[in-house]
Amino acid sequence: MSQKRRRELPAVDTQLVEIFDDLANEDEEIRLKAAQSLLKKASPDAGLASEKLNEILRRLIRGLCSGRKAARLGFSVALTEYLIQLLGPDSSYPSPPTTLHEVIRVLEEQTRIGSNVGGQEERDHYFGRLFGAETLIKSGVLFHRSVDNHYWSEVLDLLFGLAKKKVWLQEECGWILYNAIHSLNKNSHPSNHVQLIVNKLQDNDLTTTPEGVAIWIGTMLNFPKVKLSRGVWHKENPLHQKEKAKLAKILKGASSASPDQGGDVSKFSGQGAWTPKLHFAWEVILARVLDTHCARSSKELGLADLWNECVDENLFSASSSEERKYWGFLIFQRALRDAPAQYFPIIFSKNLMRCLINQLASPNRYLHRIAEKSVKAIILKVDLDSSLAVPVLECLLSPPNGQANFDHATKTKMVEKLISSLDDKRVKDLVAVSRKMLLRPGTQEPQAAGVVRQVVADQLVNLVRSRQFTDGNFSSDASEGIQMSLSILADFAYFNSRSGKDVHTGHEPSEDPPFSTASRDLFKSRILSCLTHLISKSHNPAKFAYDMVARIHTREDQEDFPDSFLSEEETVRESMRKAWKVLEKIHHKASSDSAKGPLLSAFMLLYSLTILQVYNFEADAVTMLDELKLCYETLIKHRSKGSHGGSDALVEIILSLVSKRSVLFRRLGEQVFSAFASYIGESGLQSMKQVLMTKENIVGQEEMFDVNDDDDRDDEMSDVEEVDKKDVEAAKDDSSQDKDSDGEASSSGESVDEELAEFDAKLAQALGVRTMGDSDFNEQSSDEDMNDEQMEALDSHLETVFRERKKVVLEKTQKKEAKETIVNFKCRVLELLDIFVKHRHTSYLALTLLPSLLSAIQTTKSPLVSSKALDLIRKYSQLCKKEKIPSSTVEAHKDAILSLLKGIHEQATKEGSNAYASACSQASLLFVKVLASQDRESLKQILRIYAKTQEQALFDPKCRVKTSFFSDWLNWCASARPKDTKR
């Protein structure tokens, strides 16, 4: 029986299989290594047969049709290099294993679509043909001088055939041809290859497509000798001004031909489905119009015409779709990348800005994310070049396209970030832009103009606050910008800018519409806000305040003052003249006398702000000027040793400043007090102690401020809206933990309920009905008729009831406000005393503060006051621990210190909270440490004082001293006991 012959399988090259598999790997490094291995395996030195080399060629082309992983990328790179190795000018094969004709034939054969092919397989073959044609072009084998143009024509036919057959491949085909033009120009190839592209473009009716426009421009710029088709574009230039409407339609994706113009719409090949990718034609066009160095015809489109016609009025029009607006944002980001500053007003166009603001306003908008990317592109542009911050801000904020409240409208902080990151050298430029916006807010409606001016003024304040300083000093550029900001606010707040030439430009200013009184008052308030920041941050805030009020004083006689207060009151003008003489002397001395520099700077700051308050029509400011003059003459000009008259008056001035609910005057008082703390005498300190003893009610308010009504507070013109709310929040937090305050709140709630019940009863009595609490309330008829006399009597009775109710509510409000005023005042005084203790903790006067601090803790109903006073005692103890009180001071006041210690022990026996008991114990131990540090014999007297207090605690039922008072004393005794050195 004969055996069947076995069929022999062909040998498989496993190494080649692995190489082809790695060419499809998603890792780029693996793909490149596989391509190198393939080229090495197919090199002339490897000695492969022509059949094997052709098989590799077919396999590479077939791999372009694979949709697996990254096959097209890897196989296209390998095929490009393989063609160069096979058919390139430097090929080292003895005889070419294949021809260019054969390569094109294999490409057509391997990418031909057969019958009954699915959609995905069809797409893969089309992409394979596209990538194959691209590899032929990139390899350069078509452009050798020895190669006939016929092969180039065949490849072009493949590309144009794909572009015509499949719309979604049209852009890719155009991109390949556009890059081919650039590669031909780079390699200095003859222009006949480019001429063939232009001819094929015309033959296939693709000249009036975005791809055609890009190829045309590329040919026009790189190969000016190539003959372009006539009759397509005016002067054979798609960027001619007469072609902007046609160009806009093409770039929008619409047909440039229309039936009413005799055009054939069917000849236009659309783009197909929308893609979230910008067409490369925009890149070509923008590169041309943004190039500021290229020579162009006067009739050629510039960025302004192109942007207005093709972008702003086209893609960002009100009727444009969301998809086209998306493209518009992409075009904006691309243009912003290379646009110089002079082009910013063009690309930040009207419709674009409107769309950007609308889309940023809500995260639910369709284009919110692309709008956010546009914002990031703007910030990135400024980060790369800080000099562009001001031009960008001007476009975002200034009319007619910008919006002053851009951050508020878009719910972003872009303007705030740009202002904060602004270089000090550019501050003056932004201030100049703000000035123009204040003069011309872009609207004639007074109320809307006032809103814009308020936003701009706030931005100037933010600009001042954002400046960084080193060691308390601003850079010269930042200082100049801050002074310029204050000057502009002062000019518009205190002067009629229409009355003369502008000091900044020398031209007649155009204030349109005129500044309202509300706007001028707003500018005054923002000046105070700026000064508040400068006082707290700068080491020399007096310079800014003086320069600003000096500017006002200089212009006062040159401009029409918007108000007539100063010109009518001769007494005020006389006080101002005297004050200016003193202020100028202080300014002169401050720059020459370094020894008294801090004192003079404090006086200069206080004088400058007091004069500013006179300009703001503060009632007490003129009187304060006279008092300041007395203080200056006593403390500086005619100072005598041991005299505290001037310091006492200065303390009263400082107390009047900190009593106002304003951060500015609070910080001003602290800074001036810090400068003069070493000059404060017993009388001045007594004025501050008196504040701590004031009752926290209407009676205390009247004693402290001589207040009869609330009219004095209506005109308070300062940064009152900026009062630090941390103290109030801390008070609320502390009160929630204080049992006494809980009881007070409970009783307060009960009193409110009682008042409401009483009001209901009176109202029911007036109406002649029963209250809701009555059992037969529902049985009461509400339909009883009343005659006119009864109605008039009822009206009179109701009026009396509601008047009494209003009086009760007003009284409660006044009580609450009075308490808040006194509590706030006490807190400010405790802050001043904190400064005093830091400067004078080694003096006897500082020790005399302790009894008053304890009394304040005991009597106050505010947890905040109690907490601040207790903290001050703790800080005082720590300071004395670091730097002891001199022995001479203790010896001179030993009896007085012992007397103070006895007084503290008497205070410790009184009823008080745990915080009060802790404060008494700390104060007592502080006196103990002061006395014992200089003379340990004093401990015997101290021991007798403690013994007497302990005896009182044992036998006197009214004594409320806490046991911790004695345990703290015993602990201190244990630590102070002499150590046994013999052990």
Side-chain angles (χ1 to χ4, degrees):
M1 187 175 178
S2 61
Q3 293 183 352
K4 289 185 179 180
R5 187 176 178 181
R6 236 174 179 186
R7 195 163 123 197
E8 295 183 4
L9 297 174
V12 177
D13 190 341
T14 56
Q15 183 183 5
L16 199 59
V17 171
E18 292 178 358
I19 290 174
F20 286 138
D21 186 64
D22 288 343
L23 285 176
N25 198 288
E26 293 179 349
D27 191 333
E28 183 181 7
E29 187 175 351
I30 295 177
R31 294 198 304 269
L32 293 177
K33 288 182 179 180
Q36 292 174 357
S37 300
L38 179 63
L39 294 175
K40 185 177 181 181
K41 187 175 181 62
S43 65
D45 298 335
L48 293 180
S50 298
E51 293 79 6
K52 192 66 175 178
L53 294 174
N54 288 330
E55 178 61 29
I56 293 175
L57 176 65
R58 284 191 295 272
R59 182 65 185 87
L60 289 174
I61 293 175
R62 191 164 64 250
L64 297 177
C65 300
S66 174
R68 182 172 63 95
K69 297 182 181 179
R72 292 193 183 94
L73 296 176
F75 278 86
S76 62
V77 171
L79 180 58
T80 301
E81 297 299 325
Y82 189 59
L83 289 174
I84 295 173
Q85 184 170 292
L86 289 178
L87 303 174
D90 299 328
S91 176
S92 57
Y93 288 98
S95 61
T98 187
T99 63
L100 193 55
H101 172 75
E102 182 66 20
V103 173
I104 297 174
R105 187 190 65 78
V106 173
L107 175 61
E108 291 179 342
E109 179 184 315
Q110 294 295 327
T111 59
R112 185 178 294 115
I113 300 172
S115 58
N116 299 326
V117 175
Q120 183 59 45
E121 187 177 353
E122 181 183 9
R123 288 173 60 89
D124 288 341
H125 279 74
Y126 281 134
F127 276 118
R129 179 166 292 189
L130 180 71
F131 275 79
E134 186 179 17
T135 57
L136 281 168
I137 295 173
K138 285 184 176 180
S139 66
V141 297
L142 294 168
F143 308 124
H144 300 161
R145 294 187 180 275
S146 59
V147 177
D148 196 288
N149 275 353
H150 172 71
Y151 300 116
W152 174 232
S153 179
E154 289 183 6
V155 174
L156 289 179
D157 289 338
L158 290 177
L159 288 172
F160 280 109
L162 287 173
K164 294 281 287 183
K165 194 165 188 177
K166 294 298 179 182
V167 177
W168 42 271
L169 286 176
Q170 184 173 301
E171 182 180 350
E172 296 300 327
C173 294
W175 174 245
I176 292 172
L177 294 174
Y178 177 78
N179 285 333
I181 292 173
H182 273 272
S183 63
L184 289 170
N185 180 54
K186 182 178 180 181
N187 296 325
S188 301
H189 283 284
S191 59
N192 53 351
H193 296 93
V194 180
Q195 185 67 62
L196 197 55
I197 295 176
V198 173
N199 296 339
K200 294 283 185 181
L201 192 69
Q202 178 68 23
D203 295 341
N204 288 277
D205 296 325
L206 294 176
T207 52
T208 55
T209 61
E211 298 79 21
V213 171
I215 293 171
W216 193 292
I217 294 174
T219 303
M220 182 179 66
L221 298 180
N222 295 292
F223 295 91
K225 294 183 180 180
V226 170
K227 294 182 180 180
L228 298 170
S229 304
R230 293 184 176 274
V232 180
W233 303 103
H234 187 79
K235 300 292 185 181
E236 287 72 53
N237 188 355
L239 297 180
H240 196 277
Q241 289 184 356
K242 291 186 177 181
E243 299 289 0
K244 60 182 180 181
K246 179 179 177 181
L247 182 63
K249 290 181 180 180
I250 292 173
L251 294 176
K252 189 177 181 180
S255 174
S256 61
S258 58
D260 58 346
Q261 294 176 333
D264 185 4
V265 180
S266 63
K267 290 183 178 181
F268 175 77
S269 182
Q271 191 177 355
W274 179 84
T275 59
K277 185 183 73 169
L278 188 63
H279 198 286
F280 79 93
W282 279 106
E283 181 78 25
V284 177
I285 295 171
L286 289 174
R288 173 63 179 174
V289 297
L290 289 174
D291 190 354
T292 57
H293 302 291
C294 67
R296 55 166 57 94
S297 170
S298 59
K299 297 296 183 181
E300 185 174 327
L301 277 176
L303 180 64
D305 292 332
L306 175 74
W307 194 269
N308 182 68
E309 186 72 26
C310 299
V311 181
D312 201 54
E313 299 294 341
N314 193 343
L315 299 179
F316 283 111
S317 64
S319 60
S320 186
S321 65
E322 304 293 341
E323 292 80 6
R324 299 198 189 283
K325 290 177 181 177
Y326 186 95
W327 280 344
F329 281 122
L330 293 179
I331 295 169
F332 169 75
Q333 294 171 23
R334 168 60 188 87
L336 184 67
R337 189 182 71 195
D338 294 334
Q342 63 263 31
Y343 285 156
F344 285 1
I346 297 175
I347 62 176
F348 286 89
S349 51
K350 179 181 178 181
N351 292 335
L352 181 144
M353 287 298 298
R354 173 181 50 80
C355 186
L356 179 65
I357 292 172
N358 290 339
Q359 297 299 328
L360 287 172
S362 173
N364 297 324
R365 304 283 168 84
Y366 289 117
L367 302 178
H368 180 75
R369 293 183 65 184
I370 189 64
E372 285 185 324
K373 289 182 180 179
S374 299
V375 169
K376 292 179 181 178
I378 295 172
I379 295 176
L380 178 61
K381 180 77 172 179
V382 175
D383 288 342
L384 295 175
D385 186 356
S386 60
S387 64
L388 300 177
V390 174
V392 168
L393 285 169
E394 185 173 7
C395 293
L396 294 176
L397 304 175
S398 300
N401 299 338
Q403 192 165 334
N405 60 338
F406 183 89
D407 279 356
H408 177 75
T410 60
K411 297 180 176 62
T412 64
K413 294 185 178 181
M414 184 170 70
V415 172
E416 181 180 339
K417 290 178 181 177
L418 292 176
I419 291 177
S420 299
S421 62
L422 190 66
D423 188 80
D424 288 344
K425 297 179 180 179
R426 311 293 173 184
V427 171
K428 293 183 291 184
D429 298 332
L430 181 58
V431 174
V433 172
S434 300
R435 184 181 182 281
K436 290 191 294 185
M437 293 178 63
L438 289 173
L439 284 172
R440 287 179 170 265
T443 176
Q444 295 295 320
E445 205 277 317
Q447 187 174 359
V451 172
V452 172
R453 285 165 172 163
Q454 178 180 353
V455 173
V456 177
D458 290 338
Q459 289 168 358
L460 285 175
V461 176
N462 291 334
L463 179 64
V464 172
R465 289 174 176 171
S466 66
R467 295 307 90 200
Q468 301 296 324
F469 56 93
T470 304
D471 298 330
N473 296 316
F474 295 100
S475 66
S476 58
D477 293 315
S479 297
E480 190 174 351
I482 291 173
Q483 289 174 345
M484 189 174 174
S485 301
L486 292 174
S487 298
I488 288 174
L489 290 174
D491 289 346
F492 297 153
Y494 299 103
F495 298 98
N496 188 343
S497 63
R498 294 170 295 164
S499 63
K501 289 186 177 181
D502 179 72
V503 295
H504 295 285
T505 62
H507 299 91
E508 191 73 20
S510 52
E511 176 189 319
D512 190 22
F515 290 112
S516 63
T517 303
S519 293
R520 296 187 187 279
D521 291 341
L522 173 75
F523 297 151
K524 296 175 185 178
S525 174
R526 296 306 179 262
I527 289 173
L528 298 181
S529 298
C530 291
L531 293 175
T532 300
H533 174 76
L534 295 173
I535 289 175
S536 62
K537 299 296 182 181
S538 175
H539 281 180
N540 189 19
K543 176 180 181 298
F544 295 103
Y546 173 81
D547 289 344
M548 188 191 65
V549 294
R551 177 184 177 82
I552 298 174
H553 177 67
T554 303
R555 292 193 60 185
E556 184 179 348
D557 297 332
Q558 302 173 357
E559 303 283 350
D560 290 340
F561 208 77
D563 301 293
S564 58
F565 182 81
L566 292 178
S567 59
E568 294 177 358
E569 295 288 340
E570 184 59 33
T571 56
V572 174
R573 294 178 63 85
E574 182 62 26
S575 296
M576 288 288 285
R577 281 194 291 268
K578 294 179 180 178
W580 271 111
K581 289 181 180 179
V582 176
L583 181 56
E584 289 173 352
K585 291 179 181 178
I586 294 174
H587 179 256
H588 178 71
K589 288 183 177 180
S591 58
S592 58
D593 191 347
S594 58
K596 296 182 179 179
L599 299 180
L600 293 170
S601 294
F603 257 118
M604 186 165 66
L605 178 62
L606 191 54
Y607 251 106
S608 299
L609 291 183
T610 305
I611 289 174
L612 186 64
Q613 291 302 100
V614 175
Y615 287 133
N616 290 341
F617 311 121
E618 287 289 334
D620 300 333
V622 178
T623 305
M624 191 180 295
L625 284 177
D626 298 334
E627 295 174 354
L628 279 176
K629 183 181 179 182
L630 173 63
C631 295
Y632 170 72
E633 291 177 348
T634 306
L635 291 173
I636 305 294
K637 192 174 181 180
H638 306 297
R639 173 161 178 74
S640 59
K641 188 174 182 181
S643 174
H644 297 285
S647 64
D648 296 342
L650 186 61
V651 168
E652 295 296 332
I653 293 175
I654 294 173
L655 290 177
S656 67
L657 289 174
V658 300
S659 66
K660 299 180 179 180
R661 300 178 67 86
S662 167
V663 179
L664 172 63
F665 294 115
R666 170 185 171 184
R667 291 176 178 171
L668 172 63
E670 290 174 357
Q671 181 144 346
V672 175
F673 187 84
S674 179
F676 289 93
S678 58
Y679 295 88
I680 304 300
E682 184 177 357
S683 178
L685 206 60
Q686 183 59 36
S687 299
M688 303 174 74
K689 295 177 185 177
Q690 184 180 354
V691 175
L692 298 179
M693 299 297 103
T694 305
K695 296 181 180 179
E696 297 169 357
N697 52 26
I698 295 180
V699 175
Q701 184 184 33
E702 292 177 351
E703 291 177 355
M704 191 59 57
F705 301 106
D706 295 330
V707 176
N708 296 321
D709 50 45
D710 294 335
D711 295 340
D712 295 337
R713 300 181 60 185
D714 295 341
D715 298 329
E716 189 171 331
M717 180 61 216
S718 69
D719 58 339
V720 67
E721 72 277 4
E722 298 181 13
V723 171
D724 194 352
K725 296 182 180 179
K726 294 181 181 178
D727 293 346
V728 179
E729 294 174 357
K732 291 181 179 179
D733 294 339
D734 292 341
S735 63
S736 64
Q737 301 174 4
D738 192 283
K739 294 182 180 179
D740 296 338
S741 62
D742 288 344
E744 183 182 343
S746 177
S747 63
S748 176
E750 292 175 0
S751 64
V752 171
D753 293 338
E754 292 175 359
E755 290 176 3
L756 289 175
E758 183 180 355
F759 175 71
D760 288 341
K762 289 182 179 180
L763 187 61
Q765 181 181 2
L767 295 174
V769 299
R770 299 181 183 274
T771 62
M772 293 184 66
D774 293 339
S775 59
D776 56 347
F777 171 75
N778 293 327
E779 300 176 3
Q780 178 69 30
S781 173
S782 60
D783 297 330
E784 296 180 0
D785 294 334
M786 301 179 67
N787 56 33
D788 294 343
E789 294 180 357
Q790 289 174 326
M791 289 293 291
E792 290 178 0
L794 179 62
D795 289 343
S796 176
H797 200 170
L798 286 175
E799 184 178 352
T800 302
V801 171
F802 281 104
R803 187 185 304 112
E804 292 178 357
R805 174 60 180 170
K806 185 177 181 181
K807 187 183 299 183
V808 171
V809 173
L810 179 61
E811 184 179 352
K812 287 182 66 65
T813 303
Q814 290 175 344
K815 289 180 180 179
K816 182 180 179 182
E817 290 180 352
K819 180 180 178 180
E820 291 178 353
T821 300
I822 298 300
V823 167
N824 177 72
F825 195 15
K826 286 185 177 181
C827 289
R828 302 293 82 81
V829 170
L830 286 170
E831 290 169 359
L832 294 179
L833 291 176
D834 191 354
I835 297 172
F836 179 82
V837 167
K838 288 179 182 178
H839 287 80
R840 304 277 299 277
H841 63 275
T842 59
S843 68
Y844 168 73
L845 277 180
L847 290 172
T848 63
L849 288 174
L850 292 173
S852 299
L853 293 176
L854 294 177
S855 298
I857 296 174
Q858 183 192 19
T859 58
T860 184
K861 294 181 179 180
S862 169
L864 181 60
V865 174
S866 176
S867 175
K868 281 183 173 291
L870 181 59
D871 288 342
L872 180 55
I873 295 175
R874 290 171 179 168
K875 290 180 182 178
Y876 190 8
S877 299
Q878 293 173 357
L879 290 170
C880 290
K881 187 177 181 180
K882 294 179 181 179
E883 184 180 358
K884 296 180 180 180
I885 298 177
S887 57
S888 58
T889 303
V890 178
E891 288 296 331
H893 302 88
K894 183 177 180 180
D895 294 338
I897 294 174
L898 286 170
S899 177
L900 289 173
L901 178 60
K902 293 178 183 178
I904 287 176
H905 278 248
E906 291 179 5
Q907 288 180 292
T909 60
K910 298 179 181 179
E911 184 70 38
S913 62
N914 291 333
Y916 175 68
S918 175
C920 290
S921 178
Q922 291 187 46
S924 177
L925 290 177
L926 176 59
F927 279 110
V928 170
K929 294 173 184 177
V930 168
L931 292 169
S933 64
Q934 306 299 333
D935 183 12
R936 290 188 63 84
E937 291 297 322
S938 301
L939 288 175
K940 296 179 181 179
Q941 294 174 283
I942 296 171
L943 186 61
R944 286 193 289 271
I945 295 174
Y946 267 96
K948 184 178 180 181
T949 305
Q950 191 168 15
E951 179 184 354
Q952 187 177 358
L954 288 173
F955 298 103
D956 188 355
K958 295 181 179 180
C959 181
R960 293 291 185 266
V961 65
K962 304 285 185 181
T963 55
S964 59
F965 186 83
F966 301 107
S967 61
D968 292 342
W969 156 250
L970 292 175
N971 290 334
W972 182 88
C973 289
S975 63
R977 188 172 57 184
K979 296 182 181 179
D980 188 357
T981 57
K982 295 182 179 181
R983 295 178 61 182

